[in-house]
């Protein structure tokens, strides 16, 4: 693939011809539709389709990527090849240029309709760190952790696009040492820096999806912030796991980076010992060399490395479906918190502050144990692209607002 595009500025900023992520956008007075990021522009695929420049599959004029995602890998590959042709061949410039809209002139929306949401727990560093913090007298890793990708089911209806305000949740929480729980706004609101993938092609009920079929079903990757009310979560997670402490909000980035764009970022994952059961084995290396940044109020507080994740995305997909649960278009699978061996590589405040016992000092001198009202959290990520380029997964951001009272009776 060439790295040369005639679009001004496309060689800089991570949204070059090697990336071409998909999203959904709108302009004032216009309906949402599908676009692709290139440089500082959004390429309007509905307009391209209307002009006869890409195949009209009646999916780009919708307010969701779902209709395109369900079309399958041959269609994804053909459309990507056509976009590369249109954006690198000067002969198409006059026809395509009117379909380029400055990204500053559009609103970016949630890119797909979420059918289901699953969140994994796939970083060994995160699992060990949290185990030591929360269960200091026990083995930090549960006995099943290295045998299967641990996960919980989240709530699809509260997966929000980047920029959506995050209202501080309320719930039951019990202060250590107190005999009874109390009710009120969470005092331990946290972020979790994660990477997710979204399914495009459904699977047959009753049949698992093998790890080797990952490319045939998965459309692309997004950044995920799985907001967590730690005090609510810790009180309720006995014995069935997270519920209200997680279900109030999950934020995703605006752009879905195609699997094909991340092929150059594939690396060998950590050695898995013991060897996973056969259905979890993957013939290809599916670690991803993604470099994340976490910012609080514009200040970098952590730089986790996704390449350190113990369980890979194809393994997660295989495990999530091995019982015969079918994939649906728009199913979102998040990695779990991305953390590394060093303190500045930890992807949540639970780890960064040892559950509030060791306050985190921000570069401006302010300190945090957990998030305060008014705080803005931003996650970013970059990866190697084709021909030595760097591509970006964009960013996902959210600002915390005070808890709201319940509806009046």
């Amino acid at each position: 693939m060439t790295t040369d595009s005639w679009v001004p500025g496309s060689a800089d900023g991570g949204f070059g011809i090697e990336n071409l992520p998909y999203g959904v956008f709108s302009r004032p007075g216009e309906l949402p539709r599908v676009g692709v990021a290139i440089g500082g522009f959004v390429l309007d695929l509905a307009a391209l389709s209307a002009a006869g420049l890409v195949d009209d599959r009646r999916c780009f004029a919708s307010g969701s990527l779902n209709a395109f995602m369900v079309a399958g890998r041959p269609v994804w590959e053909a459309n990507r090849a056509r976009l590369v042709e249109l954006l690198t061949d000067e002969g198409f410039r006059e026809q395509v240029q009117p379909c380029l809209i400055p990204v500053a002139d559009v609103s970016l929306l949630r890119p797909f309709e979420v059918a289901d949401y699953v969140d994994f727990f796939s970083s060994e560093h995160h699992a060990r760190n949290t185990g030591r913090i929360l269960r200091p007298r026990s083995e930090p890793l549960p006995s099943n952790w290295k045998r299967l990708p641990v996960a919980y089911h989240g709530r699809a209806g509260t997966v929000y696009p980047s920029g959506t305000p995050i209202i501080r949740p309320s719930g039951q929480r019990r202060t250590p040492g107190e005999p009874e729980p109390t009710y009120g706004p969470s005092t331990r609101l946290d972020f979790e820096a994660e990477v997710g993938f979204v399914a495009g092609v459904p699977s047959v009920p009753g049949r698992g999806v093998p790890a080797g079929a990952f490319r045939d079903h998965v459309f692309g990757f997004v950044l995920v912030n799985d907001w967590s009310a730690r005090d609510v979560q810790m009180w309720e997670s006995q014995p069935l796991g997270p519920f209200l402490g997680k279900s109030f909000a999950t934020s995703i980035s605006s752009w879905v980076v195609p699997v094909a764009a991340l092929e150059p970022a594939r690396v060998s994952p950590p050695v898995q010992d013991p060897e996973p059961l056969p259905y979890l084995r993957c013939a290809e290396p599916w670690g991803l060399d993604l470099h994340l940044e976490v910012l609080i109020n514009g200040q970098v507080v952590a730089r986790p490395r996704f390449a350190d994740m113990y369980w890979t995305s194809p393994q997660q997909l295989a495990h999530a479906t091995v019982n015969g649960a079918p994939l649906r278009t728009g199913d979102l699978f998040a990695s779990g918190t991305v953390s590394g061996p060093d303190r500045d590589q930890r992807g949540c405040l639970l780890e960064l502050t040892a559950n509030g016992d060791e306050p985190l000092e921000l570069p401006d001198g302010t300190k945090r144990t957990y998030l305060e009202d008014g705080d803005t959290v931003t996650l970013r990520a970059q990866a190697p692209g084709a021909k030595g380029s760097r591509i970006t997964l964009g960013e996902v951001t959210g600002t915390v607002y005070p808890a709201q009272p319940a509806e009046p009776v």
Side-chain angles (χ1 to χ4, degrees):
M1 180 185 294
T2 179
T3 56
D4 298 323
S5 171
W6 51 259
V7 178
S10 59
D12 305 314
F15 286 125
I17 197 69
E18 304 83 10
N19 193 349
L20 301 181
Y22 290 82
V24 172
F25 73 97
S26 67
R27 291 196 291 184
E30 296 181 356
L31 293 173
R33 53 199 183 274
V34 174
V36 162
I38 178 72
F41 300 89
V42 178
L43 179 62
D44 185 343
L45 296 192
L48 278 184
S49 178
L53 293 171
V54 294
D55 284 348
D56 182 4
R57 300 184 181 274
R58 302 185 184 278
C59 53
F60 295 140
S62 67
S64 165
L65 278 169
N66 290 50
F68 180 60
M69 295 194 303
V70 76
R73 184 177 173 185
V75 173
W76 307 338
E77 291 177 346
N79 194 69
R80 182 174 175 83
R82 178 58 171 167
L83 293 178
V84 170
E85 180 183 24
L86 294 174
L87 294 169
T88 56
D89 187 337
E90 281 282 351
F92 290 107
R93 184 170 188 161
E94 185 176 345
Q95 294 171 280
V96 173
Q97 201 152 22
C99 301
L100 289 170
I101 306 168
V103 71
D105 295 345
V106 307
S107 296
L108 296 175
L109 310 175
R110 188 172 68 173
F112 54 89
E113 291 300 315
V114 181
D116 236 326
Y117 170 51
V118 172
D119 191 46
F120 285 91
F121 185 46
S122 293
S123 164
E124 183 174 358
H125 296 293
H126 174 61
R128 288 190 179 277
N129 288 339
T130 56
R132 292 187 189 104
I133 292 168
L134 301 177
R135 301 182 302 277
R137 297 177 184 85
S138 304
E139 169 61 35
L141 288 185
S143 59
N144 65 347
W145 197 89
K146 286 198 170 184
R147 271 73 177 180
L148 55 84
V150 175
Y152 74 90
H153 274 279
R155 186 172 180 179
T158 52
V159 176
Y160 298 121
S162 177
T164 301
I166 304 302
I167 307 300
R168 183 177 296 274
S170 295
Q172 285 193 31
R173 60 274 202 284
R174 189 178 73 177
T175 303
E178 294 295 325
E180 295 296 329
T182 59
Y183 168 83
S186 171
T187 60
R188 297 192 172 192
L189 182 60
D190 202 355
F191 61 83
E192 289 190 348
E194 307 191 16
V195 176
F197 61 86
V198 58
V201 176
S203 64
V204 177
R207 299 181 63 182
V209 177
F214 184 79
R215 290 185 189 84
D216 294 326
H217 290 273
V218 173
F219 178 71
F221 287 82
V222 293
L223 291 177
V224 177
N225 186 345
D226 189 40
W227 303 89
S228 302
R230 298 300 188 188
D231 43 359
V232 177
Q233 176 189 357
M234 291 171 191
W235 170 237
E236 72 182 0
S237 295
Q238 306 171 52
L240 292 184
F243 183 41
L244 300 182
K246 294 279 193 177
S247 64
F248 61 96
T250 301
S251 300
I252 61 171
S253 52
S254 301
W255 298 109
V256 184
V257 176
V259 172
L262 288 174
E263 289 286 348
R266 283 175 46 206
V267 294
S268 295
V271 175
Q272 294 181 331
D273 184 20
E275 184 179 20
L277 292 173
Y279 80 92
L280 286 170
R281 295 172 194 168
C282 191
E284 299 178 275
W286 264 103
L288 288 174
D289 186 20
L290 310 181
H291 294 258
L292 282 66
E293 278 191 331
V294 183
L295 299 87
I296 298 178
N297 301 331
Q299 304 166 82
V300 176
V301 297
R303 290 186 170 92
R305 284 183 358 110
F306 193 72
D308 293 327
M309 300 297 278
Y310 188 88
W311 294 106
T312 67
S313 300
Q315 289 176 316
Q316 292 166 352
L317 181 68
H319 186 66
T321 60
V322 71
N323 67 346
L327 280 179
R328 293 191 295 167
T329 302
D331 280 352
L332 174 64
F333 300 86
S335 62
T337 302
V338 184
S339 289
D342 301 325
R343 184 174 181 181
D344 65 355
Q345 296 175 328
R346 298 173 184 174
C348 64
L349 285 172
L350 173 63
E351 294 176 83
L352 286 165
T353 71
N355 197 22
D357 290 340
E358 301 172 10
L360 174 69
E361 184 169 344
L362 276 61
D364 66 1
T366 58
K367 294 183 178 181
R368 291 290 184 276
T369 53
Y370 282 98
L371 295 172
E372 298 181 2
D373 292 347
D375 283 345
T376 297
V377 179
T378 302
L379 311 180
R380 299 172 179 162
Q382 288 193 337
K387 303 290 186 179
S389 64
R390 298 292 296 178
I391 67 172
T392 180
L393 278 76
E395 67 177 39
V396 56
T397 187
T399 299
V400 178
Y401 287 80
Q404 300 295 303
E407 287 186 3
V409 177

